[in-house]
Amino acid sequence: MILVIKNLKKILLYLCVFTVLFVGNAIMSYSVATVSTSTPLPRFSVVIDAGHGGVDSGCVGSLGVYERDINLSIAQKLGSMLNTLGIGVVFTRTNADGLYGTFASGHKMRDMRAREAIIKKANPNLVISIHLNSYTNEQAHGAQVFYKIDNDISQEFGQEMQSLFCEKIEGSRKESMPGDFYILNCTSTPGVLVECGFLSNPDEEAKLVTNEYQEQLAYTIMCGVVGYFGLSNS
Ligand SMILES: [Zn+2]
């Protein structure tokens, strides 16, 4: 009789373990499957590269404005707009730091290679790098789009975006140009580098620091991206 009770206890124990392991697993796999099917992947994706960062401030305006910081702000505004449209966004950086690691010595190449690795991993449809310009003549002004060299798709995209700048942002430069930049050359993905204005021009610097002007710049680039992916009605 004692043997029967002992065996009964064992059977009950096995039943409990079975219930926890198998029924529990079944519930978990059901909930995991439910979550994964409700998150569709975006149809298009863009890598947005905010130029410079960390010890590399980029150009500096007469008000002491760092290109590094304005680039990041415009990049994040653009990213939010594209996300709203359901376009996937991968940023090369999301804070003031560079991508070169701990040591500043020899930072530029390490920084560029890290950006290249992000682009390769993301495998996007488009690369957009955000920068500001600088020139010895203070009068130089206006946003200008540089497109990936020897790449017809990038050239067409760059020209379209330059037209949008001329239409939407007063004082923009008239022509887009080919740009021999590492960030565009490091990948076969089409891309442009947008010089959003001249920090060396005090009037333009005063505009570039404002939230409103940064929004206008980001919006213009967004319109270009929408056109590129054929998402507009026109
Ligand atoms: Zn720059």
Side-chain angles (χ1 to χ4, degrees), residues 59-63 65 67 132-142 173 197-206 208:
C59 52
V60 185
S62 59
L63 300 171
V65 174
E67 178 192 348
L132 300 180
N133 222 332
S134 181
Y135 194 56
T136 44
N137 181 352
E138 273 192 6
Q139 302 302 311
H141 68 278
R173 300 183 83 79
F198 283 74
L199 266 189
S200 47
N201 180 314
D203 291 340
E204 202 155 55
E205 182 187 17
L208 283 163

Side-chain angles (χ1 to χ4, degrees), residues 51-52 58-59 67 71 130-133 195:
H52 311 280
C59 52
E67 178 192 348
N71 291 344
I130 308 287
H131 282 256
L132 300 180
N133 222 332
E195 297 276 8

Side-chain angles (χ1 to χ4, degrees), residues 21-58:
L21 281 179
F22 291 90
V23 179
N25 270 352
I27 291 167
M28 272 178 68
S29 22
Y30 173 75
S31 56
V32 167
T34 308
V35 169
S36 64
T37 52
S38 64
T39 319
L41 288 169
R43 232 172 108 207
F44 304 111
S45 67
V46 178
V47 165
I48 302 177
D49 171 59
H52 311 280
V55 292
D56 175 13
S57 63

